[in-house]
């Protein structure tokens, strides 16, 4: 699996570790920045991950900012992106299994490195259930996205 990873300055302290976890699991990590703790705008990096998913360069994404929330909001504005903030392992795998998220958002100022490690592993190891009830719900989400784009 190809995983696009990006962060803002608030998420920078966790980025190197997240990239290493991905590689240790046998997946390909795509580092989309930022490359320092200098202040940057999280929407710019959410956009990079979103574009990587939209154009097929990546299969999944991970965004890291201070709380995870700003990056999640920005990513969810992009067509076809289903991003979720997950700060526990249950949410990380369940969000893929039931909600088919393709972007995991983490808050580096909320969780520490060991919990982040476990969350990333849970996210990457999860697979969408393809259960009819989940497919039906996601179709409704897509309909909302399509209708909002028209207005």
């Amino acid at each position: 699996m190809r995983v696009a990873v990006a962060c803002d300055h608030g998420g920078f302290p966790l980025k190197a570790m997240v990239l290493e976890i991905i590689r240790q699991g046998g997946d390909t990590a795509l580092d989309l920045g930022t490359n320092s703790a200098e202040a940057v705008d999280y929407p710019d990096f959410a956009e990079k991950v979103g574009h990587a998913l939209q154009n097929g360069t990546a299969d999944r994404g991970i965004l890291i900012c201070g709380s995870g929330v700003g990056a999640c909001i920005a990513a969810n504005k992009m067509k076809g992106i289903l991003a979720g903030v997950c700060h526990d392992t249950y949410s990380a795998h369940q969000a893929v299994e039931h909600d088919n998220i393709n972007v995991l958002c983490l808050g580096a100022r909320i969780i520490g490195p060991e919990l982040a490690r476990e969350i990333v592993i849970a996210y990457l190891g999860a697979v969408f259930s393809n259960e009819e009830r989940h497919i039906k719900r996601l179709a409704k989400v897509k309909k909302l996205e399509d209708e909002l784009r028209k207005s």
Side-chain angles (χ1 to χ4, degrees):
M1 178 168 31
R2 298 162 302 163
V3 184
V5 178
C7 64
D8 70 358
H9 55 285
F12 182 72
L14 280 183
K15 186 180 77 159
M17 185 199 70
V18 168
L19 292 166
E20 184 57 29
I21 293 165
I22 295 165
R23 293 178 184 123
Q24 286 174 350
D27 295 311
T28 302
L30 308 170
D31 183 350
L32 303 182
T34 191
N35 297 313
S36 77
E38 183 178 328
V40 294
D41 298 330
Y42 63 82
D44 298 336
F45 295 91
E47 183 177 23
K48 289 180 182 203
V49 168
H51 284 313
L53 290 165
Q54 290 171 333
N55 68 29
T57 305
D59 305 300
R60 288 201 193 163
I62 298 176
L63 285 167
I64 316 161
C65 68
S67 69
V69 176
C72 186
I73 291 168
N76 277 314
K77 298 296 182 186
M78 298 181 71
K79 186 169 180 63
I81 302 304
L82 296 169
V85 177
C86 300
H87 288 152
D88 63 85
T89 57
Y90 176 79
S91 297
H93 72 78
Q94 188 270 343
V96 174
E97 293 165 357
H98 291 194
D99 305 310
N100 205 21
I101 68 165
N102 52 13
V103 177
L104 170 67
C105 299
L106 299 172
R109 295 176 181 150
I110 308 298
I111 58 171
E114 288 309 312
L115 182 53
R117 176 183 307 281
E118 292 178 24
I119 291 167
V120 169
I121 291 169
Y123 167 68
L124 295 177
V127 176
F128 181 58
S129 72
N130 276 310
E131 290 179 27
E132 185 177 328
R133 64 190 172 122
H134 301 305
I135 292 170
K136 180 181 88 172
R137 292 170 187 159
L138 287 169
K140 289 181 177 186
V141 170
K142 182 168 181 351
K143 182 179 175 193
L144 287 172
E145 179 182 72
D146 292 344
E147 288 174 358
L148 289 172
R149 299 246 183 258
K150 292 177 187 173
S151 59

